[in-house]
Amino acid sequence: LCGRVLIFDRGRIVAEGSPDQLRERLQGQVAVTVEFESASEGMTDRLAQIEGVRAVRSDGAELGPHPARFVLECAAGSDPRAAVFRLAVEQSWTLVELASARASLEDIFVRLTTSDRRDAEPDAGGSELAGEAA
């Protein structure tokens, strides 16, 4: 609904631009959601070995006939979905969902205003992410 977003942290503009521009500049990583019909031993390790995958988060499903859902955090510009599909076929894992996730504006806001990020930035001056602040 909006064409331009300003994100403030401690009274400073830390980012501005259209929602799509902010996603492109700030998302950094691509996330892929994967769900299998049931959990198998070694799924997390096998998924983590796919090229471009930096981290694998699991919903903590137990082994057996329970759905296994994972979020793969990937390097910018990578798309491991085809490799995930091939791995599922090789391992006879029934794939239920395979989708890339897009960062929401809330995700971007939280990333820019968390204490770890604030502590790493200088108190004075503008952020390199803000561009031309008005």
Side-chain angles (χ1 to χ4, degrees), residues 33-34 70 130:
T33 302
V34 182
F70 301 91

Side-chain angles (χ1 to χ4, degrees), residues 4 6 22 31 45 59 67 70 80 83 88 91 93 97 103 114 121 124 131:
R4 183 170 179 227
L6 295 171
L22 292 178
D45 293 335
D59 69 354
F70 301 91
Q91 299 296 313
W93 297 337
E97 179 184 352
T114 57
E121 291 181 358

Side-chain angles (χ1 to χ4, degrees), residues 13-130:
I13 297 174
V14 294
E16 71 175 280
S18 72
D20 287 336
Q21 288 171 332
L22 292 178
R23 281 186 190 97
E24 287 175 22
R25 283 190 278 163
L26 305 174
Q27 186 171 356
Q29 296 181 345
V30 175
V32 173
T33 302
V34 182
E35 185 174 338
F36 299 101
E37 185 176 68
S38 60
S40 297
E41 190 171 334
M43 275 184 161
T44 303
D45 293 335
R46 298 284 299 196
L47 291 168
Q49 293 173 357
I50 294 173
E51 186 176 340
V53 175
R54 298 225 169 136
V56 178
R57 289 183 285 140
S58 170
D59 69 354
E62 299 175 18
L63 293 179
H66 310 285
R69 188 172 180 85
F70 301 91
V71 175
L72 311 180
E73 295 176 8
C74 309
S78 68
D79 186 354
R81 290 178 295 174
V84 170
F85 177 79
R86 286 190 297 274
L87 178 62
V89 171
E90 287 172 12
Q91 299 296 313
S92 299
W93 297 337
T94 302
L95 192 58
V96 177
E97 179 184 352
L98 180 59
S100 59
R102 196 172 142 165
S104 69
L105 288 176
E106 181 179 1
D107 295 333
I108 293 168
F109 175 83
V110 169
R111 181 171 172 210
L112 288 172
T113 59
T114 57
S115 61
D116 292 342
R117 176 135 177 105
R118 283 192 312 246
D119 293 342
E121 291 181 358
D123 287 339
S127 168
E128 74 274 4
L129 299 173

